[in-house]
Amino acid sequence: MSSVTGRNKTPVKTAQSTATVADPARRRLLTAGLAAGAGAALSGLAARPAAAAGGDPLITQVQDWNRYLGDGVDAKPYGTPSQFEAEVVRRDVPWLTADPVSSVNFTPLHELDGIITPNGLCFERHHGGTAEISPADHRLMIEGLVDKPLIFTMEDIKRFPRENRVYFLECAANSGMEWRGAQLNGCQFTHGMVHCVVYTGVPLRTLLEEAGVKSNSKWLLAEGADASAMTRSIPMEKALDDCMVAFKMNGEALRPEQGYPLRLVVPGWEGNMWVKWLRRLEVGDEPWHHREETSKYTDLLANGKARRFTWVMDVKSVITSPSPQAPVTHGRGPLVISGLAWSGNGTIKRVDVSTDGGRNWKTARIDGPSLSKALHRFYLDIDWDGSEMLLQSRAIDEHGYVQPTKDALRLARGENSIYHNNGIQTWYVQANGTVENVEVS
Ligand code: MTE
Ligand code: CO
């Protein structure tokens, strides 16, 4: 691991990390140098011949771990990752927010594989810190336009028929810092406000039916028990569709950061509606937006108008490796290009990958389950000839929505937006394997 350069750097706004490839001469230079060989069929060998290893002491000598007994089964009642994975952690960007209590940290996407995010690595976003609530003291209340207002204990909730569903959660502000240009050097920071776990819980519909929702009800207000007492209005149609009241993630209890003991799951919709530490649901006939942050639900456009009710997280993807925090360290030859794709509208039908800044595209291989409103894992296995690449991925969902370029997004919505940036990301892979966040246009 010692030869790895630039890994897990905390991003700083240096001239290098804010670099954009806007200068046409430089852009031409870049694309001219992009050899077709980058996409050629696999021919090289990923392993070296045994004979070449010769006097490697790791083969010829007995190592410590081969000689001494290790820890017993009583050493770690709750297991933790290997000491050699200590760099694989959530990270925050200190200059982004005024304090860590109303703040965000980011999932280390560049270190992960498959589609499930480990619980301890799910990004955290909260407005008043993490509430520590004993499940014995937690209550969920349903009131408003219902036949009988109800109060549930955690024990009550666990007596209803439950279901297991895999969903991604993406903050509406994910990639928001990248609207005006390439800024943060790493997909952890540009795209890490997303995670995907399997939730166990009770359909929200079940609890609402228990209370008896009146026929004139149109909206549901969800409120959290944390210090920010965050509230969000959700249209009743969505509440009765696929929302869940979840108490487990990836098989174990929710983590405190993710809303222990109870959170709302609003599949495919922006993260701020997924109220954590869920304590109250009020059924009404109009939205409560006046009680909520005025910036929410609106996307400011260039003409001063705003897009409202933009709740669905549109089709999006990013290459997680190679990426600025995960450079190519092995030189030319076989290279696994890997990434994530997702859509709040359903499954991902196809992901295309370009190694030349969007001039030519190859269809990537989606591997693992393809679940609606969940992360999808894709790969493109290439034989890298060692020349520079401009890596991009472009996802297409089951409805045929195609991930737009950042330029197309800016044309449609201007430069003032922060929310819902699902534009195509570009990574500039240099011949020495280092990777930089850039833009091509
Ligand atoms: N719920 C409460 N009670 N308080 C909060 O501050 N933050 C919201 C949402 N639910 C928040 C909350 C936002 S903006 C997002 S993006 C998601 O929680 C983040 O969920 P996570 O921390 O599990 O990643
Ligand atoms: Co958010």
Side-chain angles (χ1 to χ4, degrees):
M1 290 295 258
S2 57
S3 64
V4 175
T5 55
R7 229 177 154 110
N8 298 304
K9 279 190 306 195
T10 300
V12 281
K13 284 163 86 179
T14 61
Q16 198 198 26
S17 65
T18 57
T20 58
V21 189
D23 170 28
R26 173 146 166 77
R27 159 89 176 115
R28 259 198 308 279
L29 186 82
L30 283 174
T31 49
L34 296 168
L42 272 184
S43 62
L45 207 58
R48 77 199 82 168
D56 184 351
L58 286 169
I59 292 172
T60 58
Q61 290 171 19
V62 177
Q63 304 297 320
D64 279 358
W65 53 87
N66 213 186
R67 214 185 327 231
Y68 304 113
L69 294 175
D71 280 345
V73 292
D74 52 351
K76 281 186 179 168
Y78 194 102
T80 50
S82 160
Q83 56 174 309
F84 304 107
E85 300 293 319
E87 292 293 312
V88 184
V89 290
R90 300 186 279 224
R91 287 173 195 273
D92 62 339
V93 179
W95 51 260
L96 212 56
T97 54
D99 68 82
V101 170
S102 181
S103 191
V104 60
N105 60 25
F106 301 87
T107 308
L109 298 178
H110 60 294
E111 294 279 10
L112 304 179
D113 218 314
I115 66 165
I116 297 294
T117 315
N119 288 343
L121 296 177
C122 288
F123 84 94
E124 302 169 59
R125 171 85 180 98
H126 30 72
H127 300 74
T130 297
E132 291 280 351
I133 307 172
S134 159
D137 297 337
H138 192 71
R139 300 289 181 271
L140 172 64
M141 179 158 67
I142 301 186
E143 57 179 355
L145 296 177
V146 291
D147 296 334
K148 45 177 187 332
L150 294 173
I151 291 175
F152 303 88
T153 62
M154 285 305 295
E155 201 176 37
D156 295 335
I157 288 167
K158 289 179 177 175
R159 294 175 68 187
F160 288 95
R162 61 186 80 163
E163 60 184 25
N164 295 290
R165 295 284 185 278
V166 179
Y167 293 122
F168 76 80
L169 180 167
E170 184 182 16
C171 180
N174 197 23
S175 314
M177 292 83 78
E178 303 289 308
W179 257 112
R180 285 158 201 234
Q183 173 156 244
L184 297 170
N185 232 4
C187 69
Q188 176 166 21
F189 306 104
T190 56
H191 289 75
M193 279 196 247
V194 68
H195 54 61
C196 184
V197 302
V198 48
Y199 291 100
T200 305
V202 175
L204 179 55
R205 187 188 329 111
T206 305
L207 301 184
L208 291 173
E209 278 167 4
E210 191 75 8
V213 171
K214 293 200 189 294
S215 56
N216 58 335
S217 66
K218 287 197 181 64
W219 291 85
L220 185 67
L221 180 84
E223 184 187 277
D226 54 326
S228 76
M230 217 190 69
T231 54
R232 285 292 176 264
S233 297
I234 296 164
M236 192 53 78
E237 217 174 88
K238 179 68 174 174
L240 295 173
D241 180 15
D242 56 0
C243 290
M244 285 169 81
V245 169
F247 43 85
K248 299 245 154 119
M249 58 195 284
N250 292 334
E252 64 175 2
L254 294 177
R255 291 290 171 90
E257 308 91 291
Q258 265 67 47
Y260 180 89
L262 197 65
R263 95 172 299 167
L264 195 59
V265 170
V266 190
W269 288 26
E270 53 186 40
N272 68 73
M273 302 172 92
W274 299 49
V275 173
K276 303 191 275 191
W277 311 288
L278 181 68
R279 75 153 169 221
R280 197 168 71 88
L281 295 166
E282 189 181 334
V283 179
D285 54 4
E286 57 172 280
W288 285 264
H289 295 139
H290 56 279
R291 285 198 221 163
E292 302 164 20
E293 282 169 62
T294 49
S295 65
K296 294 297 171 198
Y297 303 116
T298 55
D299 251 352
L300 198 57
L301 299 175
N303 61 10
K305 291 193 178 145
R307 299 200 314 154
R308 292 200 79 203
F309 301 143
T310 51
W311 296 308
V312 175
M313 299 310 294
D314 284 329
V315 63
K316 185 166 173 178
S317 70
V318 65
I319 290 172
T320 52
S321 181
S323 62
Q325 298 158 288
V328 185
T329 55
H330 53 61
R332 48 199 295 244
L335 171 67
V336 175
I337 298 173
S338 180
L340 291 165
W342 61 97
S343 167
N345 287 304
T347 58
I348 295 295
K349 188 174 71 183
R350 201 178 90 205
V351 181
D352 299 326
V353 169
S354 174
T355 56
D356 58 9
R359 286 195 311 186
N360 297 286
W361 297 92
K362 281 211 160 75
T363 302
R365 176 170 60 89
I366 292 175
D367 190 79
S370 170
L371 301 167
S372 183
K373 303 168 189 174
L375 293 185
H376 289 56
R377 172 63 57 177
F378 67 85
Y379 299 100
L380 186 72
D381 306 291
I382 69 162
D383 192 359
W384 186 40
D385 63 5
S387 57
E388 52 192 25
M389 297 186 281
L390 287 168
L391 288 183
Q392 296 186 338
S393 64
R394 177 179 68 187
I396 301 162
D397 73 16
E398 64 173 296
H399 299 284
Y401 290 118
V402 181
Q403 186 181 0
T405 62
K406 286 169 85 174
D407 279 347
L409 267 185
R410 290 192 193 108
L411 211 59
R413 289 196 232 145
E415 305 237 332
N416 292 329
S417 198
I418 313 172
Y419 300 113
H420 294 267
N421 176 3
N422 64 326
I424 290 174
Q425 174 66 44
T426 311
W427 302 128
Y428 171 38
V429 183
Q430 285 160 277
N432 66 6
T434 58
V435 185
E436 226 182 282
N437 179 8
V438 299
E439 273 193 37
V440 292
S441 51

